[in-house]
Amino acid sequence: MVDKNLMASMDAVIVAVDNGNGNTKTEHCVFRTGLDEYDGEPTVTKDYFKINGRYYVAGENHMTYQGNKTENDDCYILTMIAVVKELKYRHITSAKVILALGLPLAWCGADDKAAFKAYMNRESEINVEHGGDMYHIEIEDVLVYPQGFSAVVGRYDMSGFNMIVDIGDGTLDIMQINNGKPIESSLHTEKKGIGTCMKEIRQELSRLYKDDYPEEVIDPFLRNGCGNDNSDVASITRRIASEYAEDIIKTIKAVGYKDSFMNLYIIGGGGCILKNFSDITNNSNVHVIGDVCANAKGYAYLAKQKYGK
């Protein structure tokens, strides 16, 4: 017998969203995870989103770390904005949508997934005004997958012994996959995302200069390395980022990483820190997945497998 739910969703559009603490990503769009809300139309920017009578501007500021994404409306609004951005990329203004989302590995149990699905499925239909266009979204289904694992499944050879390390802004997620089989007991999540490294650098620079130091000045050094730059910013970033990289390496070794025979896949923004401030990526068995949309693409891949798209 044909599954009626599958039949009803055959004409739906799969939109994958990776709700990172640093950036929100779809398969084709990336924007900073920040949200400002206004009672009326913003004065300067026209890049706003009108949802349920409120006006939102995304990406101008950086939200503080949120372990529980369902504790307020921010993650929901940012997800709807991400859906609109992806639909705009595809030149679609009205669609039934299958949302493919993710949660950190250790927070991807049945209860957490159910709560996240209910949070995202609060409105079956929603209208969003953006850029002079009205976007009509009907939520057909909400699927939740594990971060990190989703970025490699179906895209990389997982034969042999493998460790997946997803270093986002808020969390460090670790899991092992042996001969294509995820090892449930290896799931490990810690609040050691790159946001902790950035915070420590900013605090030290702020003490030095007696003023708040913006992320935008530090970020290029973390992404690209400090080279031969010996300025205060470069020197402090080099020292703290090197200590952070060393701590990450100690953590993954403590939970089972063996560099002699394991393949290591590093996902997320933290990959550039390990690449620029440690020598671990010189190992031929270490692979840095630089695609920031890798998790979102993985969620989409898994959703397409489910619905046969």
Side-chain angles (χ1 to χ4, degrees):
M1 182 178 293
V2 177
D3 189 319
K4 291 182 179 180
N5 291 328
L6 290 178
M7 287 294 293
S9 298
M10 288 302 292
D11 60 343
V13 176
I14 292 173
V15 178
V17 181
D18 180 10
N19 300 103
N21 284 282
N23 292 296
T24 301
K25 290 84 66 176
T26 67
E27 288 182 85
H28 305 101
C29 306
V30 181
F31 62 96
R32 198 177 187 189
T33 301
L35 194 65
D36 293 294
E37 182 179 355
Y38 299 92
D39 295 327
E41 184 177 330
T43 303
V44 180
T45 182
K46 297 302 177 186
D47 189 24
Y48 62 80
F49 298 79
K50 187 178 180 182
I51 303 174
N52 294 334
R54 305 289 292 173
Y55 295 82
Y56 299 91
V57 176
E60 287 191 349
N61 297 301
H62 191 179
M63 289 171 56
T64 56
Y65 170 75
Q66 290 184 334
N68 180 8
K69 297 182 185 297
T70 64
E71 64 184 12
N72 56 41
D73 293 337
D74 291 350
C75 185
Y76 176 79
I77 296 297
L78 285 164
T79 301
M80 293 304 109
I81 289 173
V83 171
V84 168
K85 284 179 175 286
E86 182 68 16
L87 292 180
K88 183 177 181 178
Y89 175 87
R90 303 186 198 184
H91 306 288
I92 300 171
T93 56
S94 181
K96 293 180 180 179
V97 170
I98 297 169
L99 269 180
L101 310 172
L103 285 174
L105 293 171
W107 303 341
C108 210
D111 291 343
D112 292 321
K113 288 172 68 173
F116 197 44
K117 288 180 68 171
Y119 170 83
M120 287 297 182
N121 210 13
R122 63 174 73 181
E123 297 179 80
S124 59
E125 297 186 33
I126 186 168
N127 294 309
V128 181
E129 182 182 335
H130 174 64
D133 295 319
M134 183 65 74
Y135 293 82
H136 179 70
I137 302 164
E138 296 181 40
I139 304 299
E140 188 83 2
D141 196 4
V142 179
L143 308 173
V144 183
Y145 298 107
Q147 290 175 194
F149 171 73
S150 299
V152 300
V153 64
R155 303 178 69 197
Y156 297 91
D157 179 16
M158 289 290 110
S159 59
F161 295 89
N162 308 275
M163 177 172 280
I164 314 302
V165 177
D166 188 351
I167 314 170
D169 189 73
T171 59
L172 164 67
D173 291 311
I174 303 168
M175 77 177 303
Q176 292 182 38
I177 301 176
N178 295 345
N179 290 315
K181 180 182 178 181
I183 307 302
E184 185 74 24
S185 60
S186 72
L187 302 185
H188 189 80
T189 295
E190 287 199 29
K191 295 178 181 179
K192 285 187 177 182
I194 57 177
T196 59
C197 179
M198 174 67 79
K199 182 179 179 181
E200 189 174 345
I201 294 168
R202 290 185 66 194
Q203 286 176 339
E204 185 149 339
L205 287 169
S206 295
R207 284 193 295 268
L208 179 65
Y209 290 106
K210 311 299 182 187
D211 197 5
D212 184 47
Y213 218 86
E215 291 184 8
E216 290 80 1
V217 178
I218 304 164
D219 190 64
F221 289 103
L222 292 178
R223 290 184 181 276
N224 306 314
C226 299
N228 296 321
D229 192 329
N230 290 314
S231 65
D232 290 332
V233 178
S235 297
I236 290 172
T237 298
R238 184 183 293 111
R239 174 173 55 80
I240 294 176
S242 297
E243 292 169 355
Y244 173 78
E246 183 180 355
D247 183 50
I248 295 297
I249 294 168
K250 286 181 179 178
T251 300
I252 64 175
K253 286 183 176 180
V255 295
Y257 174 59
K258 308 294 184 185
D259 58 7
S260 58
F261 62 86
M262 267 188 179
N263 295 307
L264 179 65
Y265 293 86
I266 304 170
I267 307 160
C272 61
I273 296 182
L274 293 187
K275 185 175 181 180
N276 294 325
F277 300 99
S278 77
D279 59 4
I280 191 172
T281 59
N282 294 334
N283 189 326
S284 61
N285 291 333
V286 177
H287 313 277
V288 178
I289 301 175
D291 184 359
V292 296
C293 298
N295 270 313
K297 290 175 181 177
Y299 304 153
Y301 170 83
L302 291 168
K304 289 170 185 175
Q305 294 293 304
K306 175 180 173 63
Y307 281 103
K309 289 181 178 289

